[in-house]
Amino acid sequence: LFKYGNISNFSTERNDKVAVINSRNIYKKLPSYMAIEKEGAKKGSARYYELMLKATTNYKRVLRLVAVEKNLVLIVEQGGVVDYESEDVTISCISRI
């Protein structure tokens, strides 16, 4: 559920900023993830894990960039925030790929 940040660092008293994302939509735009689909790399194969490692590293980098840029304390998957103002930063993440 939590994609960036640590819930223990979050404070409503400070009005910390929280954002939501659609991880699937971000992964679909990562070049290494697109290579998995294009090549038909099978889950469990060395090639699949090599490309997923690159995709996950890039995904985390993108989230960190957007979090710093927007001063976000937490980024969570869509549906993970209830009764607290949040912003969807999926498009912002995709634009940083």
Side-chain angles (χ1 to χ4, degrees):
L1 181 63
F2 294 103
K3 303 300 179 178
Y4 174 86
N6 185 326
I7 190 70
S8 64
N9 296 333
F10 173 76
S11 169
T12 56
E13 290 81 28
R14 288 191 310 255
N15 291 317
D16 285 341
K17 292 174 69 177
V18 178
V20 296
I21 56 169
N22 182 314
S23 293
R24 180 174 292 226
N25 289 347
I26 297 168
Y27 265 92
K28 285 185 195 179
K29 300 295 184 182
L30 295 167
S32 46
Y33 189 81
M34 291 190 303
I36 289 171
E37 294 182 335
K38 182 179 178 183
E39 295 174 17
K42 301 285 184 215
K43 193 171 188 174
S45 70
R47 180 68 175 152
Y48 175 88
Y49 285 113
E50 173 190 9
L51 291 169
M52 275 306 291
L53 178 60
K54 288 180 183 177
T56 300
T57 299
N58 198 15
Y59 169 82
K60 289 178 180 180
R61 179 189 62 81
V62 165
L63 291 187
R64 191 171 36 258
L65 284 171
V66 171
V68 169
E69 176 182 286
K70 294 184 173 281
N71 198 30
L72 301 169
V73 173
L74 292 174
I75 299 177
V76 301
E77 196 63 38
Q78 288 176 344
V81 177
V82 179
D83 298 330
Y84 193 81
E85 186 178 335
S86 64
E87 171 187 6
D88 189 325
V89 294
T90 302
I91 299 300
S92 295
C93 290
I94 290 170
S95 72
R96 300 303 181 284
I97 294 174

